[in-house]
């Protein structure tokens, strides 16, 4: 599992009859939004502050329309555009190693482990980019990861665009059905925002904001 790339993790499917359990990532397995934390860590305090100033129009637009996909794309362009894919993956690995203990919820990890010991197929379904969440997924031993895919240009550099819709709300269910079939039913699902409502609705056990512990 340690050497698995994002593409391999996304394609994994459970053996027939194996229970599927889905976990949101940010705010559920973690105590805060991991992508924002990654961007701030990646560029440093001074560059982060300057970037936020340049993002003022985008932030103002978000306050009006609440378009999460648009503001996420704007932040990705501001802080990651032009970054080589291999370098992004290396930085993501370093971030996960350095920030794991301060980001992960102990009670969520305990539930994650319990499902693993029960033989469940555990999939992380997140609005964050797959590339930045993948190191966490590998550390967790996740069987699969479904997130918002970044677009890289012909030279393998971040463009700031996404290869699909923001993996939130109904898109989470669409992605699950694309991988596990149109009649997929989750044994359990865990989330913490309205963006998880549709995913929780296709689970026998729906855990909404059940994890509260902090590192």
């Amino acid at each position: 599992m340690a050497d698995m790339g994002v593409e391999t993790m996304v394609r994994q499917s459970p053996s027939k009859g194996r229970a599927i359990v889905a976990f949101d990532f940010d705010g559920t397995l973690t105590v805060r939004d991991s992508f924002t934390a990654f961007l701030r860590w990646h560029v440093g305090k001074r560059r982060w502050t300057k970037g936020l100033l340049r993002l003022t129009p985008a932030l103002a637009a978000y306050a009006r329309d609440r378009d999460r996909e648009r503001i996420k794309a704007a932040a990705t362009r501001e802080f990651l555009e032009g970054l080589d894919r291999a370098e992004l993956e290396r930085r993501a690995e370093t971030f996960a190693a350095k920030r794991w203990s301060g980001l992960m919820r102990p009670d969520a990890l305990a539930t994650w482990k319990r499902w693993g010991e029960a033989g469940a197929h555990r999939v992380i379904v997140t609005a964050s980019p797959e590339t930045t969440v993948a190191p966490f997924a590998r550390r967790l031993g996740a069987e699969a990861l479904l997130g918002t895919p970044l677009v890289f240009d012909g030279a393998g550099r971040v463009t700031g665009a996404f290869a699909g819709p923001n993996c939130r709300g109904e898109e989470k269910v669409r992605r699950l059905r694309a991988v596990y079939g149109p009649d997929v039913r989750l044994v359990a699902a865990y989330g913490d925002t309205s963006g998880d409502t549709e995913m929780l609705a296709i689970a026998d056990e729906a855990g909404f904001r059940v994890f509260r512990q902090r590192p």
Side-chain angles (χ1 to χ4, degrees), residues 9 17 19 42 59 74-75 84 100 112-113 117 121 130 147 155 165 185 205:
M9 296 182 70
H42 169 65
L59 291 169
D84 180 74
W100 175 274
W112 176 276
K113 182 179 179 182
E117 291 172 343
H121 176 98
E130 291 167 352
R185 185 71 188 179
E205 177 185 326

Side-chain angles (χ1 to χ4, degrees), residues 26-162:
D26 299 304
T28 300
L29 285 165
T30 72
V31 296
R32 65 180 64 88
D33 183 83
S34 65
F35 189 47
T36 300
F38 170 76
L39 292 176
R40 185 169 185 170
W41 170 86
H42 169 65
V43 300
K45 185 176 181 180
R46 181 175 296 182
R47 174 70 178 82
W48 175 254
T49 301
K50 290 181 178 179
L52 288 181
L53 289 174
R54 283 194 286 267
L55 284 171
T56 298
L59 291 169
Y62 175 71
R64 294 192 301 272
D65 59 32
R66 312 306 290 181
D67 190 329
R68 294 171 183 267
E69 187 167 352
R70 184 181 300 172
I71 189 64
K72 184 184 295 182
T76 301
R77 286 192 299 272
E78 176 64 35
F79 297 113
L80 296 181
E81 186 175 14
L83 184 64
D84 180 74
R85 181 172 191 160
E87 177 62 12
L88 174 60
E89 290 175 348
R90 185 189 69 79
R91 293 287 286 169
E93 287 282 358
T94 302
F95 175 75
K98 288 180 175 292
R99 298 299 176 88
W100 175 274
S101 61
L103 278 174
M104 308 305 290
R105 292 189 183 277
D107 51 352
L109 293 179
T111 298
W112 176 276
K113 182 179 179 182
R114 175 171 60 82
W115 279 115
E117 291 172 343
H121 176 98
R122 299 161 300 177
V123 53
I124 294 172
V125 191
T126 176
S128 284
E130 291 167 352
T131 307
T132 58
V133 177
F136 289 93
R138 287 191 287 269
R139 281 173 167 258
L140 285 164
E143 281 70 39
L145 165 64
L146 302 174
T148 304
L150 294 171
V151 171
F152 299 87
D153 64 19
R157 296 170 300 202
V158 178
T159 68
F162 298 107

